[in-house]
Amino acid sequence: WVLRQEGGGDDVVGANEDGTVGDENGGGERDLADVNYALDSMINRAEFEYKGVVFSEMKGAYSDPEGLIDRISQTLLFPDNSYRFDSGGDPAVIPTLTRDEFVSFYKKYYHPTNSRLFVAGDESDVYHALSQADRYMSPMGYNPESRKDSAIVYQKRTFHKPVFERRPYAAAPGEGDSGFMLCITWLLNTQPTTSMMQLAWIVLDSLLLGKPSSPLTKALEDSNLGESTIGGGLDDTLLQSTFSIGMKGLKKREDVNVLEGLIMNTLHKLDSDGFSEDDIASSMNTIEFSLREGGGGLRGMEIFLGALSQWNYDQSPREAIIYEDALKMLKDEIARTGSNLFQQMIRDTLISNNHRVSLELYPSANLEEEQLQDQKIQISTAQSRMSDGEYQNIIDEGIKLKQLQAMEETPEVIASNPSLSISDIDSTPVEYPIHVEDNFAKSGIQLVLHEVESDGIAYVDFGLDVSMVPYDEIVLLNSLVALLNEAGTSDMNDAEFRNYIGKVTGGVSANLQVMSVKPAGWDDEIKVLPGVNILSMLFIRGKSTADKIPDLFDVFTKILMDVNLDSKDILRNALKSDLSGRKSSLTNRGHSFADTRLRGRYSVRNFLGEKMHGYLSLDSSAAVLEAVDADWAQFVLRLENMRQAIINGNRNGMIINLTGDRYVLDAAMEIAEDFLVNKLPVDLGNPAPPTPDFRSVEHPWVAPAREEMKGAFSSQDEGIAVPTQVAYVAEGGRMYDVGEDVSGSASVVSHYLSTGYMWDVIRAKNGAYGAYSKFSSVDGVGTFFTYRDPNTPDTTLGLFNGAAQSVLDDVESSALTRDNNAAITTAIIGTIGGLDGSALSPRAAGWEALIRHLYGESTISRQRHRNEILKTTVDDFIDYAQRVKSWRDQSIAIVASLSAFNEMKSRTGQELSVLVQANADQEEDQSGEL
């Protein structure tokens, strides 16, 4: 519970089992006597509100319509077992949880008997870890009831006919008559499934939805009923698997029934016609490649999570991770029955299966306000029924909680915790093998090699400069990339070409890379970059086994030079889906949009990021869609001219990056030479001018981008209004000037703020699910931002204001001293952990080394940066705090609801320029109205 003072800020005076509370007006700590005085003086005017970390997280989750439709569908699909409950908690129900229920649940289920322990590492480390775990867990005894009572009962297929439900979701103003959503979800299995059938379902999922050209995906996208598909297909992460498919952005209520009919008719057609041999071979090869390659993360964790999918339900963990037998059985079954296997699966588990839920979400512009009012009524009713003793007890418990939250651990307790020291940290940075050869095979193209263990897989990245694309055309680059990734060729349609890619490779894709690079002569220096030295490249990235390298480069050739750009429907579907995804991200990942927009003010490179991926991209993406429909012939001509300019660009603006085992590299280099010398076009009559060295000169997009920046931001402080129950608040400013040296210690202090003040004050005490400090030496800008924040934005901004002073206060106290630097050591170790990350996959290692090379970062520079981190002192903390206190060009970017901005205005009088993204076609600036 939070006690809310009329006409003012929030006083920290109480909490419920799930929540914590905030300081008055977002300020610093108040003496408890002051708190009690405030309570005594305003007791008759007090009003409670809910606040808590998980409560905030779930309010944000329930503000995301796609997440909401998944949650409701699961609840309806599993009426008889535990899956009907939302594991994160429904925000409308969370406040009813009592402390006794919470503690009882924890004691019953959070017991070693109900756990699974997995250790990966050297043999001696494994045995040592297991011994330590046994010493810790054995005294807790054996509690068979915790395991028995946690078992999931299989949900039976009990529906005599499919269930259809309609539910509202909170929509922006102007979306009341559009924006419908439909998702159909099937329950697949009612008993354990064999390993072969689990793999068969993965293949069927790929056949139905794996590519834009897959039949179920294509049928929905080509229908023009909605913006993009939702549901995600197969979900095999629980005891019982499900399959979901639908669309969002349906224009009319009538389209819901049309879409449901289209889905079922498409499944009936697939049951009748089946899949081609190429379809099946492509999906099988893609999945087998993925199984053999692994997920690319920490190998031990990958094995554990894979095993857990069966082990957690008391089934064999080995069967979950050993796939060869199941794969052979599936191949044999396909060889025997062909497509019939998958047609039978569609018939039995989808078409004839009545245990499915068709869930429609319809937009409601009033739902957000109704939810707020329901919560107020709930609180008011509960508060009115409290006796004086119960009321005072909540206040007393809240004060006690605040005392506990403010209490520092004693040195003795801290010393008893296992910890690392600086001497445990590797003093040298992680390096990856790299060999660079200019003018490879006299092609004029730079070759970059990375010899790593890759299990016989070749990873190839081919990059082409795109700086010759005029600035006013760069909004079309995403359209070109979309067609390179989805369209067919002159002799293969989209489905045939993508099947060919799936059969002979492990996957090929195109993407854009726009990055700052160090100015010439700065290789060993760590300084704030000007933001005008930029590389802009189109990369074609692919992978294959060593014997398929010729086929991989054949795919590269077709993608670059033969993809059919005259594919209007494919592009429209891709652009609609992309725009729909960005709009959804604005609501559920508003912190990313806020931080990107805020940083876009401080450098041209950052602004390009905002233009191409941030809030501005919503408008430009909508404009591109309009251009597609307005004059397709002209649009195709613009794309074709762009492609020709790129592939005919000067060879010194191209690069080929090869990663793999030594024998793989030898094979790849031979085929790469033929590709670069004989396959790439060369216009001898009109050769392209040399690509400039962008480490020495400004990128040609810089001047027009700098001009556009002048009118791109409506004011220094901005808000973006979306339908959401939480807020995403960002504030920042320039801490270092261009060309100024930046010490690695700055990252340490920023980390200290994230794990200290931001966590303790904004997350734990004020209920934001996430609160972060972020600093980049590339642009010299520091920012604070929150994720799923329940507070009015002005409260959070007030808390941000206390961050720098908290560091200085820690210096004055015992927390940060020259003699006792345990806190500094912890911050250093955490920073190094973030810097080194986890072990990279072969592909990721080769890509990381390439990016470092392109950026112009030397080994000396990385070592210097690491040394500065390891040698961070109290003086560095003081310097960073002072820079935050005096940061320049301070600005604010907030993503929140209109009601939150209205409340902020009424509380503080602070005016923001608030942008309202009503729908894809309508945006208004309400500057001055809020």
Side-chain angles (χ1 to χ4, degrees), residues 49 61 123 130 152 154 160 188 206 245 277 332 374 416 465 473 502 518 547 587 667 715 721 853 872 888 895 924:
E49 69 175 325
E123 184 175 358
L130 290 174
I152 305 295
Y154 274 93
H160 298 295
L188 299 185
S206 174
I245 186 62
E277 290 185 5
D332 291 344
D374 287 346
S416 69
D465 172 57
E473 293 282 272
K518 286 190 172 186
D547 62 309
T587 299
S715 73
H853 167 65
T872 300
R888 299 174 300 286
V895 177
E924 54 182 309

Side-chain angles (χ1 to χ4, degrees), residues 703-720:
R706 188 182 285 123
E707 190 64 27
E708 186 181 3
M709 286 175 69
K710 296 177 182 178
F713 302 96
S714 53
S715 73
Q716 193 70 8
D717 299 330
E718 290 183 319
I720 301 172

Side-chain angles (χ1 to χ4, degrees), residues 683-704:
D683 190 345
L684 298 177
N686 186 28
T691 303
D693 178 6
F694 291 119
R695 298 186 64 193
S696 302
V697 299
E698 283 191 0
H699 193 284
W701 296 348
V702 168

Side-chain angles (χ1 to χ4, degrees), residues 612-841:
M612 301 178 77
H613 307 292
Y615 181 76
L616 285 179
S617 70
L618 299 179
D619 285 341
S620 60
S621 296
V624 170
L625 263 172
E626 291 179 3
V628 167
D629 291 329
D631 190 339
W632 174 244
Q634 179 63 27
F635 193 91
V636 173
L637 181 61
R638 293 165 68 187
L639 289 181
E640 189 58 58
N641 290 338
M642 180 183 293
R643 173 166 66 177
Q644 292 304 315
I646 293 171
I647 62 177
N648 287 305
N650 196 285
R651 299 298 186 90
N652 74 325
M654 300 179 186
I655 192 167
I656 189 161
N657 188 58
L658 306 178
T659 302
D661 303 290
R662 182 68 261 172
Y663 80 93
V664 169
L665 293 180
D666 291 339
M669 288 171 64
E670 181 179 348
I671 308 302
E673 179 177 343
D674 178 63
F675 170 74
L676 299 176
V677 175
N678 300 320
K679 301 295 176 61
L680 286 181
V682 178
D683 190 345
L684 298 177
N686 186 28
T691 303
D693 178 6
F694 291 119
R695 298 186 64 193
S696 302
V697 299
E698 283 191 0
H699 193 284
W701 296 348
V702 168
R706 188 182 285 123
E707 190 64 27
E708 186 181 3
M709 286 175 69
K710 296 177 182 178
F713 302 96
S714 53
S715 73
Q716 193 70 8
D717 299 330
E718 290 183 319
I720 301 172
V722 298
T724 178
Q725 299 181 57
V726 290
Y728 305 87
V729 183
E731 181 179 18
R734 181 172 294 285
M735 297 175 60
Y736 291 81
D737 291 324
V738 172
E740 187 174 359
D741 290 334
V742 180
S743 170
S745 63
S747 299
V748 177
V749 188
S750 181
H751 178 85
Y752 178 82
L753 281 169
S754 284
T755 57
Y757 179 86
M758 304 296 282
W759 178 279
D760 295 337
V761 175
I762 300 180
R763 188 182 195 273
K765 293 183 180 180
N766 281 274
Y769 192 69
Y772 310 94
S773 169
K774 179 180 176 181
F775 173 76
S776 170
S777 60
V778 174
D779 56 23
V781 173
T783 57
F784 300 138
F785 56 91
T786 58
Y787 173 72
R788 293 185 174 173
D789 186 346
N791 305 288
T792 52
D794 57 289
T795 299
T796 298
L797 292 172
L799 294 171
F800 286 165
N801 290 340
Q805 187 58 47
S806 74
V807 174
L808 298 178
D809 290 344
D810 286 347
V811 172
E812 293 299 319
S813 70
S814 60
L816 292 171
T817 67
R818 300 181 192 283
D819 298 327
N820 178 14
N821 63 353
I824 297 178
T825 298
T826 300
I828 290 172
I829 292 172
T831 304
I832 291 293
L835 187 66
D836 292 349
S838 59
L840 298 183
S841 67

